[in-house]
Amino acid sequence: MQSSNIENLAVDLDSDDQATVRLLVALDQSHLLAHWPPPGEATEKKRRMLAQARELDASYPGGLRRYLDRARELLAAARRGENPYAGNEPHVPHGRQLTFGSDEFLGAEEVGLSVANRCAFIAVAGGLGERLGFGGIKLAIRAEVATGSCFLQRYLGHVLALQRAGNARSRVNGRAPVIIMTSDGTHTGTRRLLEEHRFFGAAPGQVTLLKQGKVPALSDDRPTIATSVDDSWHIKTKPHGHGDIHALLHQSGLPRQWLNQGVRWLVFHQDTNPLTFYGVPATLGVSEQEFFDMNSVVVPRRPGEAAGGVVRLEQAGRSLTINVEYNQLDPLLRAAGHPEGDAPDASGSSPYPGNINVFVISLESYVRTLDRTGGVIPDFVNPKYADSDRSRFASPARLECMMQDYPKLLEPGARVGFTQFERGVCFSAVKNGLSEAARRQKAGLPPESAATAEADLYALNRRYLSTAGAVVETGPTRAYSGVEVELFPIVLLSQELTVSLAEFLPRVSNVRISARSTLVIDAADVVLDGLVLDGALVVRAVPGARVVIRGLVVRNRGWEVTELEEATDSSDSRAIRGYDFVRHETRLIEITEPGEHIVQT
Ligand code: UTP
């Protein structure tokens, strides 16, 4: 269609709309207007489509023109099958491996806690979690059934515990800012969840939501902007990835304000990993000790596993420590003269530690970096081709960006490294529905389901007890909807108690917990000085209460986990786990007054 014809189509629209029409024509996207009826008809639909195009133009740095130019360039490279890391020499990056409970772990944790009230916490929660098939937002999923807390509640609980621990150590009353990045799909749900629960105890104004925009989907590598299959008046859009967080933070102006308020570190994390915060104090400590500009929490990586590896890339005297996605790691290694590719070293793991998308960034260098770059992370494209000559897409593609690509914005010489823990100390994400989780488990891959993450949360809490000398029996492994988990003994300690392993250790002596038991402690200051538990015990106490359990024996029918017969409601957290809890009998110790309380019978 001639551009003059197109513009004639817009004579009945206002000047903003006409300018948008001219922009789309100039960008070679006049197909979006090809079905338009003559002026005066379908005016509302035309306006709506042009308003959407303007919003897309405004939300991408550099606008639609830059988006399409970049897409053209990246799609051409993808078609040629280019390796973005060609010419780089891979090396193992610099970092520290911390064993849970070791002196080095406890030392780093204590250093980290001394600055824990000078941190901001940033959760990326714009993803839709399509693989999971949960009806609501992922932050509303119950992370555990023992108390029923959802992911958002757990995150804020950890943040407040860290804040209190930091304040107690530094005698400064710091308040940790919390950012949640949302998207169109999660924004309202996240705000509602916070409001319904009075921000889960966070102070007014402590939590800020930043909503990311979407980007146009592209139906070919010219590139042509796609419209929705069932609505030619609507531009098809897709999420741009969690890398948007850096540009959004820059635009918000918050990082500079935090710097002026004395904040030192930023902790970035994802929306459905219940273990994230157990490794955070020690990671903060390592950042302090190593002066890291960026410090990624990593785990041993199984070669071939669909998780990126952190690699130090060397090229022409320049060094870049960065996550290399799993599908690029093997070709990178082979091209660099390692014919074995993505293979294990003597330890059985890949020499390149696995990225879990939890990292700590120095705020001081972050502010400088955002000022210089606007926080715009270089994007990439991952088209799924329908044919072998890569001329057609199986489904529309879009540009994406990843938050862990932040080192690409840093200046040469920046200190980028890692803190490695065992997987069970820091990582067990909820990503897959039951059948996919069962399939992955059979294939020897991490199932990453609601059930396995819950089991891993209890396992880590049991480990706090056993590291402190408690005798904790091993529970049975059971399958629910095909996913095997070891839920018992169910142990969930308060976040105040687990914020410092060093302070937790002396709280436990002469504790014995049987394989079928449940122990839930929802109290900040508890000492277990003699406890035999064979059943279920729940301890709750108001702030300011100190509970000393001394020589207590609890025997009751306890709790049972039963397979869910049928779950029809996809927004029910039980449906994605395949089981429910039956509480037959529970000993409840509930302390409602501050002060010391000794419980012996
Ligand atoms: P995931 O890889 O788990 O993807 O995102 P997802 O989109 O949530 O889930 P699927 O693929 O649809 O099943 C990793 C993290 O990045 C966030 C997610 O919320 C999660 O915390 N994310 C992802 C964003 O914040 N924005 C995005 O555009 C994409």
Side-chain angles (χ1 to χ4, degrees):
M1 202 182 297
Q2 293 281 311
S3 67
S4 55
N5 291 350
I6 292 275
E7 288 183 35
N8 286 342
L9 278 179
V11 287
D12 56 333
L13 303 177
D14 67 19
S15 57
D16 276 358
D17 284 339
Q18 290 187 4
T20 311
V21 166
R22 282 196 295 278
L23 175 72
L24 293 175
V25 173
L27 296 178
D28 223 4
Q29 303 298 326
S30 41
H31 65 281
L32 293 172
L33 318 167
H35 65 287
W36 278 23
E41 291 178 32
T43 312
E44 267 320 300
K45 287 182 173 168
K46 292 174 185 168
R47 286 200 182 125
R48 205 173 348 108
M49 178 186 228
L50 294 170
Q52 190 199 3
R54 266 197 303 282
E55 201 182 309
L56 291 168
D57 189 47
S59 73
Y60 187 82
L64 280 175
R65 181 177 299 280
R66 187 167 175 284
Y67 180 76
L68 293 169
D69 284 348
R70 179 116 183 100
R72 194 171 299 112
E73 197 182 298
L74 290 169
L75 286 165
R79 194 169 177 177
R80 292 192 296 268
E82 280 175 16
N83 178 348
Y85 294 113
N88 280 283
E89 180 62 38
H91 296 269
V92 178
H94 172 61
R96 296 254 293 272
Q97 293 188 12
L98 298 182
T99 305
F100 187 76
S102 66
D103 287 347
E104 198 184 1
F105 179 99
L106 298 176
E109 188 181 71
E110 193 49 39
V111 173
L113 287 174
S114 68
V115 290
N117 56 342
R118 299 173 71 189
C119 295
F121 296 89
I122 297 136
V124 289
L128 303 178
E130 282 165 350
R131 280 170 287 171
L132 198 53
F134 179 67
I137 57 165
K138 287 192 282 175
L139 286 175
I141 295 172
R142 289 179 198 280
E144 43 81 25
V145 186
T147 71
S149 59
C150 68
F151 277 101
L152 186 50
Q153 183 174 0
R154 289 208 62 78
Y155 290 147
L156 289 170
H158 281 294
V159 167
L160 296 177
L162 282 163
Q163 178 183 296
R164 278 191 284 270
N167 284 342
R169 280 161 178 78
S170 63
R171 311 211 179 278
V172 172
N173 237 358
R175 194 175 81 177
V178 174
I179 296 291
I180 305 171
M181 183 171 79
T182 57
S183 64
D184 275 336
T186 64
H187 189 77
T188 311
T190 307
R191 207 183 47 211
R192 200 180 304 133
L193 184 64
L194 283 165
E195 286 168 358
E196 274 170 10
H197 295 90
R198 298 178 176 199
F199 290 76
F200 295 107
Q206 185 166 9
V207 183
T208 306
L209 304 191
L210 295 179
K211 183 157 86 91
Q212 64 176 146
K214 286 187 179 172
V215 289
L218 305 167
S219 47
D220 57 39
D221 59 11
R222 284 164 47 102
T224 301
I225 293 178
T227 51
S228 299
V229 183
D230 48 2
D231 182 0
S232 54
W233 294 98
H234 187 260
I235 295 172
K236 186 173 174 62
T237 57
K238 291 197 171 193
H240 187 224
H242 42 58
D244 281 348
I245 187 60
H246 303 297
L248 279 176
L249 279 170
H250 177 60
Q251 286 154 18
S252 74
L254 289 168
R256 183 167 289 285
Q257 284 176 30
W258 298 334
L259 190 63
N260 295 336
Q261 290 158 9
V263 174
R264 304 241 340 247
W265 299 104
L266 306 179
V267 179
F268 289 79
H269 64 103
Q270 302 202 142
D271 55 10
T272 55
N273 172 10
L275 308 189
T276 299
F277 279 83
Y278 295 92
V280 162
T283 309
L284 281 169
V286 171
S287 284
E288 279 277 322
Q289 292 165 335
E290 298 275 350
F291 305 101
F292 276 145
D293 291 290
M294 176 169 175
N295 179 11
S296 296
V297 180
V298 296
V299 295
R301 180 178 171 280
R302 295 176 207 165
E305 177 183 352
V310 181
V311 181
R312 179 164 56 85
L313 299 169
E314 298 280 347
Q315 189 177 35
R318 282 183 64 127
S319 168
L320 174 69
T321 295
I322 194 139
N323 170 65
V324 176
E325 283 297 284
Y326 66 97
N327 54 338
Q328 290 169 343
L329 186 58
D330 188 75
L332 162 71
L333 292 167
R334 288 177 196 279
H338 303 274
E340 67 289 359
D342 184 9
D345 63 13
S347 72
S349 296
S350 161
Y352 306 101
N355 170 58
I356 61 165
N357 265 352
V358 177
F359 46 82
V360 171
I361 288 180
S362 149
L363 178 59
E364 192 261 326
S365 87
Y366 193 67
V367 168
R368 259 189 289 122
T369 306
L370 294 193
D371 283 346
R372 188 167 41 78
T373 63
V376 179
I377 298 285
D379 22 30
F380 65 95
V381 72
N382 189 11
K384 307 274 183 293
Y385 294 104
D387 47 12
S388 55
D389 70 348
R390 302 185 169 212
S391 60
R392 280 186 306 114
F393 296 163
S395 62
R398 90 305 202 157
L399 297 193
E400 292 175 74
C401 62
M402 300 186 294
M403 66 173 179
Q404 67 271 32
D405 274 349
Y406 172 72
K408 290 184 177 166
L409 304 185
L410 285 167
E411 284 183 308
R415 289 184 60 79
V416 182
F418 67 77
T419 304
Q420 179 168 319
F421 303 100
E422 291 155 72
R423 202 174 273 255
V425 173
C426 63
F427 185 53
S428 183
V430 181
K431 288 194 185 290
N432 300 303
L434 284 165
S435 53
E436 173 62 10
R439 192 197 64 76
R440 289 172 61 99
Q441 196 168 47
K442 279 199 189 77
L445 298 166
E448 303 196 329
S449 75
T452 50
E454 175 165 18
D456 289 339
L457 177 63
Y458 299 147
L460 180 55
N461 277 262
R462 289 197 291 272
R463 191 137 172 218
Y464 275 79
L465 285 177
S466 53
T467 306
V471 177
V472 184
E473 287 180 7
T474 305
T477 300
R478 295 257 159 80
Y480 303 98
S481 298
V483 181
E484 285 190 355
V485 279
E486 191 186 306
L487 288 162
F488 282 96
I490 292 167
V491 175
L492 193 62
L493 307 166
S494 71
Q495 289 142 319
E496 281 87 357
L497 285 175
T498 51
V499 75
S500 159
L501 177 59
E503 284 187 353
F504 182 73
L505 297 178
R507 290 178 178 273
V508 179
S509 52
N510 297 319
V511 171
R512 187 168 200 105
I513 295 179
S514 75
R516 63 177 197 90
S517 288
T518 297
L519 174 65
V520 175
I521 301 189
D522 185 8
D525 187 1
V526 175
V527 174
L528 302 177
D529 178 17
L531 169 68
V532 174
L533 176 60
D534 184 30
L537 170 64
V538 173
V539 182
R540 282 198 211 117
V542 291
R546 179 175 171 80
V547 187
V548 180
I549 291 182
R550 183 157 292 152
L552 182 68
V553 177
V554 175
R555 283 205 174 89
N556 57 36
R557 286 179 66 207
W559 296 4
E560 197 187 345
V561 175
T562 53
E563 183 147 8
L564 212 57
E565 293 285 301
E566 194 185 357
T568 44
D569 179 2
S570 71
S571 60
D572 182 339
S573 290
R574 293 174 309 172
I576 53 169
R577 335 176 105 78
Y579 55 76
D580 199 5
F581 282 25
V582 183
R583 292 162 174 83
H584 294 295
E585 206 180 342
T586 309
R587 166 76 196 272
L588 173 64
I589 296 173
E590 186 148 35
I591 307 294
T592 52
E593 299 290 326
E596 181 159 302
H597 301 259
I598 298 179
V599 183
Q600 288 176 301
T601 50

